[in-house]
Amino acid sequence: MNKNVYLVTFHNALNYGAVLQCVALYKAINRMANCQIIDYRSPAIERRYKIFRKGAPFKDILKSALLLNNTRKKRRQFEEFILGNASLTGKYNCYDELCKEHWKKTDIFIVGSDQVWNFDITHNDPAFFLDFAPTVSKCVSYAASLGKEVDDRLVLALNDKERSISSVSIREQSAVDKLSSLGITCQQNIDPVFLLTREEWARISKSSEVELNKKYVLIYALQKSKKLIENAFEYANQNNLDVIMISTGLRRDYNCEYVSNCSPEEFVRLFFKATAIFTNSFHGIAFSIVANNTFFYELQGIEKGKESRNSRLNDLITMFGLQDRNLNAIKKIDDCEKIDYSTINNIIDDERKKSFEYLKRVICE
């Protein structure tokens, strides 16, 4: 393992899916080469997760102040999780600092996964196209996500001959189809959380100190949804289950246990130990599947005219043939058939094999 691979991703985001996919991809790459996560503090990402943001409404500032201790605890847990499960470079606070680093020509650079090519999030930060790397270095993406429909700016970026990315791997099949139709050579690869086995995630979750001695329904909603929550409580009442809700908000409108600042390990454990899960999150769905658990999902933003954000959820659900878990299409939850995880686990195995073959090719050949 004499090759050095540097990974650029959202490792410092205060988001469970972001840090968990980051660690999973790091562990997968580290089996083939010496991997380090570039500790790049993208200004766009740092602003997104800053506790007190300049120009924020007074209401948001007040909320941030009231949640300050919780947020700091969560930030500390996320940092400990990353440092305990991956190797990082020194810190780079801006793109210019990346450019001034003396990278070796033989170094390999990988960008992905998560929404690293969502311009609304990165603000077109060139670091996520690996523009800082030596021109002769191998630069590739792995399961990079657009987070929505194909952006014209991405098409221009990938068609730019001065860009250094030689092999393009995309997470969503719908984006691959669109980019391919525009003449961009790319392939689909599965989200990194599926690169680790169910047993590997179970071992990570066991490092959590949280005791879960009750049967419960888990709610994980990135976007507030009255319908999702009501369905979860209905299911819990019918099956005599408690309800646990992962929520960082201040309001406590429902009679359930609220979890506001769990560690990434505890997050995974909550999914593994739940009797059923209700979610509208991409990685909420992903970890429900990884845990081989009963779950129901709801698409985001339909009532607000923001359906485009659902492309990544739809692609994931379609891959596993789980469209019948959509709460918008279910008349009666009790009528839903049990999920056949033997078939789904075979799909995961095939996708994992394909993805490791891709990583082996771009790293070792």
Side-chain angles (χ1 to χ4, degrees):
M1 294 209 317
N2 55 355
K3 291 191 176 182
N4 294 317
V5 177
Y6 292 100
L7 177 61
V8 177
T9 187
F10 294 161
H11 72 289
N12 200 47
L14 207 58
N15 175 284
Y16 292 106
V19 297
L20 290 166
Q21 66 81 24
C22 167
V23 164
L25 184 53
Y26 166 85
K27 288 181 178 292
I29 295 171
N30 208 45
R31 296 174 188 175
M32 307 175 191
N34 299 310
C35 183
Q36 278 194 303
I37 298 167
I38 296 180
D39 192 7
Y40 173 54
R41 305 303 176 94
S42 169
I45 305 303
E46 293 298 297
R47 283 194 298 270
R48 189 178 184 87
Y49 292 99
K50 195 172 183 180
I51 296 177
F52 296 107
R53 287 179 292 176
K54 185 177 180 180
F58 176 75
K59 181 182 177 181
D60 291 349
I61 295 173
L62 179 60
K63 180 181 177 181
S64 296
L66 293 172
L67 291 171
L68 182 60
N69 289 337
N70 271 351
T71 304
R72 284 177 172 170
K73 179 182 178 181
K74 188 175 177 181
R75 169 63 70 187
R76 184 174 67 253
Q77 290 172 324
F78 274 51
E79 290 175 350
E80 289 173 353
F81 176 72
I82 289 289
L83 292 174
N85 287 278
S87 173
L88 273 67
T89 66
K91 188 184 295 185
Y92 300 89
N93 291 306
C94 65
Y95 177 71
D96 285 346
E97 291 182 7
L98 284 174
C99 293
K100 291 176 183 177
E101 181 60 74
H102 298 292
W103 307 104
K104 295 179 181 178
K105 295 179 180 179
T106 54
D107 291 339
I108 299 170
F109 298 85
I110 298 179
V111 60
S113 176
D114 218 344
Q115 298 180 59
V116 290
W117 287 348
N118 184 337
F119 285 72
D120 292 341
I121 293 176
T122 66
H123 296 177
N124 201 11
D125 186 334
F128 294 106
F129 287 92
L130 306 176
D131 288 0
F132 60 88
T135 53
V136 295
S137 292
K138 184 181 287 187
C139 297
V140 305
S141 68
Y142 177 82
S145 175
L146 289 58
K148 54 179 185 177
E149 302 299 328
V150 172
D151 191 310
D152 290 341
R153 291 171 293 179
L154 176 64
V155 176
L156 289 172
L158 293 178
N159 275 323
D160 187 345
K161 301 303 180 184
E162 294 186 5
R163 297 275 186 177
S164 54
I165 294 181
S166 60
S167 188
V168 178
S169 162
I170 302 287
R171 192 175 67 182
E172 284 76 39
Q173 184 61 48
S174 59
V176 170
D177 295 341
K178 179 65 175 178
L179 291 171
S180 297
S181 72
L182 296 172
I184 295 171
T185 301
C186 55
Q187 73 170 68
Q188 182 273 334
N189 287 105
I190 203 163
D191 188 272
V193 301
F194 293 102
L195 296 180
L196 301 189
T197 65
R198 185 170 182 266
E199 292 71 28
E200 286 174 304
W201 281 118
R203 285 196 293 273
I204 289 173
S205 75
K206 285 179 181 177
S207 61
S208 165
E209 297 178 357
V210 172
E211 292 294 331
L212 296 168
N213 298 318
K214 59 186 179 182
K215 293 184 177 181
Y216 61 91
V217 169
L218 178 66
I219 301 173
Y220 180 52
L222 285 187
Q223 177 187 321
K224 275 189 176 181
S225 170
K226 185 178 179 181
K227 179 181 178 180
L228 180 80
I229 295 172
E230 287 178 348
N231 275 281
F233 272 88
E234 180 182 345
Y235 184 95
N237 291 333
Q238 289 174 352
N239 293 278
N240 196 27
L241 301 168
D242 290 327
V243 176
I244 295 179
M245 188 185 304
I246 300 175
S247 173
T248 57
L250 286 168
R251 297 183 63 171
R252 298 292 184 261
D253 296 330
Y254 298 91
N255 183 24
C256 66
E257 179 182 344
Y258 284 85
V259 176
S260 58
N261 54 11
C262 63
S263 68
E265 300 96 325
E266 291 165 354
F267 178 88
V268 176
R269 188 173 177 82
L270 284 167
F271 277 81
F272 269 72
K273 294 294 183 180
T275 300
I277 299 154
F278 287 73
T279 185
N280 57 23
S281 152
F282 176 91
H283 281 107
I285 295 171
F287 273 101
S288 299
I289 295 171
V290 167
N292 282 195
N293 218 326
T294 298
F295 78 96
F296 302 92
Y297 73 95
E298 182 183 61
L299 297 176
Q300 299 182 25
I302 292 176
E303 72 285 354
K304 296 181 180 179
K306 297 180 179 179
E307 296 92 339
S308 64
R309 71 177 66 179
N310 290 316
S311 59
R312 56 201 183 103
L313 276 71
N314 279 326
D315 280 32
L316 179 63
I317 288 294
T318 301
M319 174 183 289
F320 296 111
L322 290 167
Q323 295 92 329
D324 63 341
R325 317 308 293 181
N326 185 349
L327 288 170
N328 294 317
I330 295 174
K331 292 182 179 180
K332 193 175 181 182
I333 290 178
D334 289 344
D335 292 338
C336 288
E337 295 184 8
K338 188 176 181 180
I339 299 173
D340 178 10
Y341 273 110
S342 60
T343 299
I344 287 171
N345 289 334
N346 286 335
I347 296 173
I348 294 174
D349 289 342
D350 290 343
E351 290 293 329
R352 184 185 294 126
K353 181 181 179 181
K354 182 180 81 172
S355 292
F356 270 109
E357 287 174 351
Y358 171 80
L359 286 170
K360 184 177 180 180
R361 175 169 59 83
V362 298
I363 293 172
C364 301
E365 293 182 2

